[in-house]
Amino acid sequence: MTAIKIDGKAFSQGLRARVASAVEVLKGQHGLTPGLAVVLVGEDPASEVYVRNKGIATRECGMESFGYKMPADTSEEVLLAKVRELNADPAVHGILVQFPVPDQISQQNVIETIEPAKDVDGLHPINAGYLSSGLDAMVPCTPLGCLMLVKDQLGDLSGKRAIIVGRSNLVGKPMGQLLLAENATVTIAHSRTQDLAAECRCADILVAAVGRPHFVQGDWVKPGACVIDVGINRIPAPERGEGKTRLVGDVDYDAAFDVAGSITPVPGGVGPMTIACLMRNTLVAACRQTGLVVPKI
Ligand code: NDP
């Protein structure tokens, strides 16, 4: 058996186009332009690229992009004051502080200062609580994107067995809640899980969010399973020249490809979905804050 390669890039382009169309309607019919504010503290080159790409995507969707760059020695007090200012700004419907933040700033304090309705990253404990209670939440972008890809492949997930390897607040736990809400039977595995390979072999849906290159082996995959690889790991690639690197996921892609029913590549799988879901979340946040019906996209 060989798997279907899930094209997250194409899917994300479709989602972004649907967001852009919905934004057009909001502007034309309600005079509302959704706005996303992104705050970057420090000069981490990878974070700078992420922030730039988010700004470009926001503008491409017809939304307002507000960017704030603060020096690496910014105090927590100053950053939180900025967040409160954005909380109070009616032109800003979504707020994202790019993580990691420098050591002098508590990431958790930042998360808890963002107004939950504007928390487009879905990390505020109120949103995590809403999600686990089956209520309207702002849902973290990466697991939301993963769910869209899984549903696109499998349709109804009722009764499917799912395993998520990794239990972070950003990916693993919300992924579990989303799959549970779709009536899947969910296992969340982590570093203390016993016989992880056997657990994985039972799963119709396998989501890997570990942060270890090629961690999930081909023979851990149940034949025909849908495999979603969240991992982004940079490894040396001497075959490309001295000092070169390449990105790989948490799944041994080539081995899993021969067993799975469908699988996301890295790059080009989950990654592009994350930014598209950020656009979707900003649109949803703008509608909810202004009492408009959230368009189906
Ligand atoms: P974290 O480091 O927060 O969590 C990793 C999880 O993996 C932990 O729950 C940990 O378990 C578990 N784990 C570690 N080692 C093992 C092991 N040997 N066996 C089983 N479980 C293990 O990572 P994130 O969730 O933030 O990210 C995971 C990956 O996804 C990373 O590669 C990251 O770069 C990528 N990522 C990609 C995104 C995208 O847009 N595509 C967005 C976000 C993340 P324990 O809790 O017991 O320590």
Side-chain angles (χ1 to χ4, degrees):
M1 181 177 220
T2 52
I4 294 167
K5 180 176 173 181
I6 300 173
D7 190 343
K9 198 168 171 201
F11 194 101
S12 70
Q13 281 164 350
L15 177 57
R16 280 163 67 159
R18 293 194 296 281
V19 171
S21 302
V23 168
E24 269 303 303
V25 174
L26 280 187
K27 283 179 172 174
Q29 294 185 359
H30 303 283
L32 172 66
T33 304
L36 173 64
V38 178
V39 183
L40 173 64
V41 185
E43 272 135 34
D44 176 56
S47 293
E48 284 186 350
V49 173
Y50 291 141
V51 165
R52 195 176 324 123
N53 289 341
K54 285 168 187 171
I56 292 168
T58 306
R59 287 186 291 275
E60 279 178 2
C61 284
M63 303 193 284
E64 195 85 55
S65 168
F66 305 95
Y68 301 94
K69 202 162 180 295
M70 305 176 92
D73 62 356
T74 300
S75 68
E76 182 175 304
E77 202 185 352
V78 168
L79 176 59
L80 297 188
K82 182 55 151 180
V83 170
R84 288 191 192 98
E85 184 190 311
L86 297 170
N87 283 343
D89 186 340
V92 172
H93 303 97
I95 302 170
L96 187 151
V97 177
Q98 184 67 41
F99 292 142
V101 282
D103 289 347
Q104 72 275 14
I105 298 170
S106 152
Q107 183 165 309
Q108 194 58 27
N109 286 347
V110 174
I111 289 170
E112 293 188 27
T113 301
I114 295 174
E115 173 64 36
K118 297 190 177 186
D119 169 36
V120 280
D121 253 348
L123 290 172
H124 195 291
I126 288 191
N127 280 315
Y130 282 167
L131 179 61
S132 64
S133 304
L135 301 170
D136 280 344
M138 295 308 303
V139 178
C141 302
T142 301
L144 181 61
C146 293
L147 182 73
M148 288 178 185
L149 295 178
V150 173
K151 286 177 74 174
D152 187 52
Q153 288 300 314
L154 301 183
D156 182 12
L157 305 185
S158 289
K160 302 271 187 215
R161 295 179 77 161
I163 188 162
I164 300 131
V165 189
R167 57 173 164 182
S168 68
N169 290 340
L170 183 63
V171 187
K173 284 181 196 149
M175 189 75 241
Q177 294 296 347
L178 287 169
L179 288 165
L180 200 54
E182 296 290 332
N183 301 314
T185 303
V186 176
T187 299
I188 301 185
H190 46 78
S191 63
R192 313 290 170 86
T193 298
Q194 302 278 311
D195 202 352
L196 180 57
E199 295 286 349
C200 288
R201 280 187 203 112
C202 299
D204 306 302
I205 301 160
L206 192 164
V207 181
V210 188
R212 292 181 176 218
H214 294 159
F215 178 73
V216 173
Q217 307 294 299
D219 66 357
W220 296 13
V221 175
K222 179 178 170 179
C226 177
V227 178
I228 304 291
D229 192 348
V230 182
I232 301 178
N233 309 288
R234 193 165 282 287
I235 62 165
E239 72 281 4
R240 293 184 178 182
E242 205 187 311
K244 296 282 182 195
T245 59
R246 67 188 175 104
L247 291 181
V248 297
D250 288 346
V251 178
D252 182 347
Y253 181 85
D254 291 339
F257 191 80
D258 292 336
V259 189
S262 52
I263 182 167
T264 56
V266 177
V270 172
M273 290 302 292
T274 299
I275 203 154
C277 286
L278 177 64
M279 301 300 108
R280 179 257 178 210
N281 278 359
T282 305
L283 171 71
V284 170
C287 292
R288 287 188 187 152
Q289 282 161 50
T290 50
L292 295 173
V293 176
V294 176
K296 292 220 178 314
I297 49 166

